[in-house]
Amino acid sequence: GYAGFSTSKTGRDALVNHGFDIFTVGPGQQDSLSVFDILVVADPESEFGVEDMDYVFSHLDRGGNMLVAIEPGGEANVSALLEYLDVSVIPGEIFCEDTDYAPELVPAVVSFYGPDLSYMFPPGYAVTMPGCTALDYVMSPEWEAVPLLLTPDGSRSLALALSRDVNGKEQRIIVLGDADCLGNMEMTVSRKNLSSINSFFCKGIFNWLSDARYPVDVRRPAPVDNNIALSPSDAEIVSLIFKWVLTALLIAAGCIIVIRRMRC
């Protein structure tokens, strides 16, 4: 369900078209984790075995970045991983009262911490989460954690961004309280009276997890000549020059050209 933003060769914004190599890790392939920069754990159907978790922990211990996406009721399958990250799940599912859509469709809001992580996390914009759970975290000396997505009333965290220093490198982790918000459907669906930035938010996730290597930042710096330093008297002089002096010069030039042509 994540092919749209990862392996779709026809998708302009897909990771595979921006220099990423995408691999699926299955049983017996855990050794490949040693070369991964970013590991995505998306709503596993069963709890990880001891050997699997050892490889995941080794990825974290060496400073590898990670995206963890869970679904309501599925937190038990990643309980050991969440404990490692000092993150806990608040029991139950988040519902949002809305007269137009089902209550389980939550328009999560990007927090004001967003721009500190990536320019692709505009604060106040909505990311639709069709069935999500709230997250909590423990303030510890090891991890620095900030809420990335909040409920519309700002009372609960629906996504967390965690970071810490590992061997002189900033390790970055994002935990989502919903796995479907990055799915193929939610990235492309359009709803009446409910605008969302799921696709843009997804790019922001991997922009932060890849240390801003994706996507290529093509923004231009703000122009420096955006202030007017003229006084009112100076502005009046400039106005007279443009209105009368330049006009007179154009008329004179036109007259000279006409006279010279008539002489020929």
Side-chain angles (χ1 to χ4, degrees), residues 159-197:
L160 299 174
L162 300 93
S163 61
R164 67 175 179 178
D165 183 83
V166 178
N167 299 324
K169 172 187 176 293
E170 184 182 55
Q171 183 180 32
R172 300 176 175 183
I173 312 289
I174 286 182
V175 182
L176 295 175
D178 174 42
D180 295 329
C181 66
L182 303 183
N184 298 335
M185 175 180 172
E186 209 59 34
M187 297 277 278
T188 57
V189 68
S190 176
R191 296 182 176 91
K192 184 179 179 181
N193 299 327
L194 182 57
S195 58
S196 60
I197 60 164

Side-chain angles (χ1 to χ4, degrees), residues 61-256:
D61 290 340
R62 69 177 177 84
N65 296 341
M66 178 180 290
L67 168 64
V68 183
I70 60 178
E71 284 287 316
E75 60 270 16
N77 296 333
V78 289
S79 58
L81 180 56
L82 295 179
E83 183 179 357
Y84 180 99
L85 301 173
D86 291 331
V87 174
S88 59
V89 174
I90 299 175
E93 183 177 348
I94 297 295
F95 290 94
C96 185
E97 294 184 3
D98 193 296
T99 57
D100 295 326
Y101 299 101
E104 61 268 18
L105 180 63
V106 178
V109 179
V110 180
S111 76
F112 64 88
Y113 291 103
D116 294 335
L117 306 177
S118 171
Y119 72 95
M120 308 187 83
F121 291 144
Y125 282 73
V127 175
T128 50
M129 306 182 85
C132 61
T133 188
L135 306 171
D136 199 2
Y137 57 95
V138 177
M139 298 300 294
S140 66
E142 183 177 11
W143 293 99
E144 181 181 350
V146 296
L148 181 56
L149 291 178
L150 301 170
T151 53
D153 61 2
S155 62
R156 297 290 188 182
S157 299
L158 304 181
L160 299 174
L162 300 93
S163 61
R164 67 175 179 178
D165 183 83
V166 178
N167 299 324
K169 172 187 176 293
E170 184 182 55
Q171 183 180 32
R172 300 176 175 183
I173 312 289
I174 286 182
V175 182
L176 295 175
D178 174 42
D180 295 329
C181 66
L182 303 183
N184 298 335
M185 175 180 172
E186 209 59 34
M187 297 277 278
T188 57
V189 68
S190 176
R191 296 182 176 91
K192 184 179 179 181
N193 299 327
L194 182 57
S195 58
S196 60
I197 60 164
N198 288 50
S199 179
F200 196 70
F201 179 77
C202 179
K203 289 190 288 186
I205 288 177
F206 287 94
N207 175 256
W208 189 61
L209 293 179
S210 66
D211 301 323
R213 288 178 291 174
Y214 162 82
V216 176
D217 189 354
V218 295
R219 294 177 299 164
R220 295 293 183 266
V224 296
D225 56 342
N226 54 3
N227 291 322
I228 298 176
L230 291 176
S231 65
S233 59
D234 292 337
E236 186 175 352
I237 294 174
V238 172
S239 176
L240 290 174
I241 292 174
F242 276 95
K243 286 181 179 179
W244 302 106
V245 176
L246 290 182
T247 302
L249 290 175
L250 289 174
I251 293 174
C255 292
I256 292 173

